[in-house]
Amino acid sequence: MNKEELKHYLPHREPMLLVDEVTIDENHVAHSKYHVTGEEFFLKGHFPGRPTVPGVILCEIMAQSCALLMLNDLKGKITLYTGIDNVRFKSQVVPGDTIEVEASLSNQRANMYFCEAKATVNGKLCAKGSLSFALIEDTRKENE
């Protein structure tokens, strides 16, 4: 799925839509990519002269990738973070890098989803963690 197709499922829009493409394999693992152009709003002050993708943005990229595991349940709903656990940052991400995320669903209870994700650049681990979400009704007017 490309970025325009993702907009049918995710409520995010530019500049906060942080997945460029995704595929979900036969093992129900999401494989997504985001290319860091250097023009992103979050790089403008982080850090002048040495732009670095903030850790919280890496978590958001992983979270959006995890949300895509729930494609069949997303229509008319949105995901809200309920937890970010055991997150570790292993290497810096800079303009020109393509972040690749592998995300998998580890558990589900009612409207709660629990996922594991890792982000890499050129095969090198840059972040990993456990993320959890609540799936709630999307009451935005533009969703009607």
Side-chain angles (χ1 to χ4, degrees), residues 2-142:
N2 64 33
K3 198 169 221 172
E4 287 307 309
E5 293 167 321
L6 293 172
K7 290 179 182 179
H8 295 289
Y9 299 98
L10 295 176
H12 306 80
R13 296 296 179 266
E14 289 82 4
M16 282 304 295
L17 180 56
L18 299 172
V19 174
D20 292 330
E21 62 183 85
V22 68
T23 58
I24 299 175
D25 69 23
E26 64 279 352
N27 296 318
H28 203 63
V29 174
H31 300 270
S32 66
K33 292 183 182 181
Y34 178 75
H35 181 70
V36 182
T37 66
E39 298 301 314
E40 290 84 358
F41 73 93
F42 49 80
L43 292 175
K44 297 202 184 322
H46 196 267
F47 300 102
R50 189 179 175 146
T52 303
V53 175
V56 69
I57 297 294
L58 290 173
C59 287
E60 181 63 25
I61 293 167
M62 290 190 300
Q64 290 181 25
S65 300
C66 288
L68 293 164
L69 290 167
M70 304 158 217
L71 279 182
N72 295 333
D73 300 329
L74 282 177
K75 284 288 188 177
K77 302 216 166 60
I78 59 173
T79 54
L80 296 178
Y81 267 134
T82 58
I84 306 170
D85 298 305
N86 303 315
V87 172
R88 297 291 179 261
F89 303 102
K90 299 294 186 176
S91 62
Q92 186 178 31
V93 180
V94 298
D97 285 347
T98 297
I99 302 165
E100 297 185 42
V101 175
E102 279 188 21
S104 59
L105 186 64
S106 56
N107 199 359
Q108 178 191 354
R109 285 178 282 199
N111 70 327
M112 297 293 299
Y113 293 79
F114 303 88
C115 300
E116 300 296 324
K118 69 176 183 175
T120 61
V121 172
N122 295 324
K124 184 177 180 181
L125 184 65
C126 47
K128 66 178 182 172
S130 303
L131 300 94
S132 57
F133 308 88
L135 198 60
I136 64 165
E137 293 296 320
D138 187 350
T139 58
R140 298 174 300 147
K141 293 223 184 282
E142 65 254 14

